[in-house]
Amino acid sequence: MSRRSAREGRTMGGGQQTGAGDPPGGGTEHRLAALGVPADDERLYRFLLARPGATVAELSAATGWDAARVRRRARSLEKRGMLTRVPSRPVRFAPAPPDVVTEVLALQRQEEIERARLAAAPLAEEFRNGQRVGTGPPVQVLSGRDAIAQRFFQTQQSTKDEVLILDRPPYVAQPAEQQISVQGELMRRGVRYRTIYDHSSLDSPGQLGLCRELALLGEDSRVVDEVPLKLVIADRRTALVPFVLPTEREVMVLQRSALLDALVVLFEMLWQRAVPLWPADRRTPPEHPLSAEDERLLALSASGLTDQAIARRLGVAQRTVERRMRRIMDLLGARTRFQAGLQAAHQGLVGGPPPSPLR
């Protein structure tokens, strides 16, 4: 939210009053703060947008500033590329187009952030060296939801290659939009997410919808009958494991160790047993016979759920599930559900064939 000056007045009808130092039609709202532009610089720039070619004297009269202050702000704007001097007597100032200004400032800000990241990179190496030479075990215990949430966020943000997740209820309240935003940004940067869900994770339509959203963003997700614990592993070098459920008020943070290696092996063993929850190739051709709802139903059926359990998860009647499964089998030319799963796998609808019924 933008901050407004304490001197700004409001009429009884809610209209905003414009003071002597306010740009026409804009008030004192600071719109370019996130791009590093000081409030006075932005105010002078917005006056120039309304009065291109103004002189120092004209700007001084419009803003109520003395001439020296106007010249200082003008020099600052000139360094930022936000105005140019028009050679004349007296000197006049012309503002740069706002779209060009914001693009240039945003690029400069991005370069500053990248330089800051590069400068801070050696700190991570210093931390790892400290972990190697430390006398204690590579284990840290975090307490409190705020500290845990902050560490979880930092762990994800520092990931370069892959995040492995074991997911099961109960869940601590967290906005789904926040999770989608963070995970989506990392997957766009090339970080791979592999998540194994417990069957009970899909009981709620809201949670099932969140799984679907994450899958569409690129998460590779599978499901098993029972996930033994909650777990997050980043780049196979850091793991977060809750001590006690459901509160999750204490979390163990593991660095590289034999215990962490064992947790990675556990994840890979569960991954081999798990069934793909969503299609492996989501870029299905237009002539594809199955809808997104059909794909979801087929994935749940292939994971071993009964029609009654699927109906409960999808919030529909069991007869509806049975009718839709018959329709899917007809579309795929299958005589049994097992054949339907195989046909779907061959067509790229699921990540692999369903498990054998004899397992």
Side-chain angles (χ1 to χ4, degrees):
M1 295 182 62
S2 61
R3 296 180 178 269
R4 295 183 181 270
S5 169
R7 295 174 299 174
E8 177 183 334
R10 293 184 180 276
T11 64
M12 293 183 63
Q16 179 180 314
Q17 296 177 342
T18 302
D22 296 338
T28 58
E29 189 174 2
H30 195 181
R31 299 179 182 274
L32 301 179
L35 297 176
V37 179
D40 281 355
D41 285 18
E42 179 179 337
R43 191 171 296 121
L44 186 63
Y45 175 70
R46 292 170 68 182
F47 268 110
L48 281 170
L49 292 178
R51 301 176 177 86
T55 64
V56 171
E58 291 169 344
L59 290 172
S60 180
T63 59
W65 300 346
D66 59 42
R69 184 178 178 184
V70 171
R71 290 192 182 95
R72 285 196 304 271
R73 296 302 99 204
R75 284 194 297 270
S76 178
L77 289 172
E78 191 172 13
K79 289 179 181 179
R80 297 176 187 277
M82 298 175 68
L83 65 76
T84 56
R85 296 171 181 261
V86 178
S88 62
R89 288 181 178 271
V91 173
R92 296 181 179 275
F93 302 101
D99 54 342
V100 175
V101 166
T102 52
E103 184 67 22
V104 171
L105 291 177
L107 289 174
Q108 291 173 351
R109 204 69 166 175
Q110 186 173 357
E111 290 175 359
E112 292 173 2
I113 293 172
E114 289 302 320
R115 286 196 296 269
R117 283 178 175 169
L118 291 175
L123 297 178
E125 185 61 31
E126 292 176 15
F127 175 76
R128 287 192 290 270
N129 291 336
Q131 291 291 312
R132 286 193 288 268
V133 302
T135 57
V139 178
Q140 178 186 9
V141 177
L142 293 180
S143 300
R145 289 183 179 175
D146 290 342
I148 293 170
Q150 179 67 16
R151 185 56 181 268
F152 179 62
F153 176 78
Q154 291 174 346
T155 299
Q156 288 189 95
Q157 289 294 319
S158 63
T159 304
K160 302 298 182 184
D161 299 313
E162 185 179 48
V163 176
L164 309 177
I165 298 176
L166 295 181
D167 185 273
R168 57 167 294 173
Y171 295 106
V172 177
Q174 178 185 16
E177 296 79 4
Q178 179 181 352
Q179 185 175 348
I180 291 172
S181 174
V182 172
Q183 195 163 325
E185 177 189 353
L186 287 167
M187 286 189 285
R188 285 190 291 271
R189 280 167 33 189
V191 175
R192 184 187 182 192
Y193 272 77
R194 286 196 288 154
T195 301
I196 302 175
Y197 293 99
D198 189 280
H199 267 155
S200 58
S201 298
L202 311 179
D203 279 338
S204 122
Q207 183 65 22
L208 188 60
L210 174 60
C211 296
R212 178 66 175 178
E213 287 292 328
L214 294 174
L216 292 173
L217 289 173
E219 180 184 79
D220 197 353
S221 51
R222 296 189 177 188
V223 60
V224 293
D225 290 335
E226 185 175 355
V227 170
L229 76 163
K230 284 190 174 185
L231 174 66
V232 176
I233 302 176
D235 287 338
R236 305 189 178 219
R237 59 181 176 82
T238 304
L240 278 69
V241 187
F243 268 161
V244 181
L245 298 177
T247 61
E248 298 186 27
R249 291 187 178 275
E250 287 188 328
V251 166
M252 180 169 57
V253 182
L254 295 174
Q255 304 299 330
R256 285 183 174 172
S257 60
L259 179 56
L260 176 56
D261 292 342
L263 290 175
V264 172
V265 171
L266 170 64
F267 179 91
E268 295 296 352
M269 291 174 62
L270 290 173
W271 185 260
Q272 294 301 319
R273 288 176 45 200
V275 177
L277 181 59
W278 303 112
D281 184 1
R282 300 170 189 85
R283 296 166 294 181
T284 51
E287 64 273 11
H288 195 290
L290 301 184
S291 66
E293 292 76 13
D294 292 336
E295 294 173 7
R296 178 184 306 181
L297 179 59
L298 190 59
L300 292 174
S301 176
S303 71
L305 292 179
T306 65
D307 287 352
Q308 184 179 11
I310 294 173
R312 186 170 60 252
R313 282 163 171 76
L314 298 182
V316 299
Q318 181 174 339
R319 289 185 178 181
T320 301
V321 172
E322 296 169 350
R323 184 175 64 253
R324 286 169 57 183
M325 278 303 305
R326 285 195 297 269
R327 174 180 168 276
I328 291 173
M329 291 166 57
D330 291 340
L331 287 172
L332 295 175
R335 304 176 69 178
T336 66
R337 293 191 180 191
F338 184 68
Q339 288 180 343
L342 289 175
Q343 289 287 350
H346 294 155
Q347 296 181 33
L349 301 181
V350 294
S356 170
L358 300 178
R359 183 182 65 173

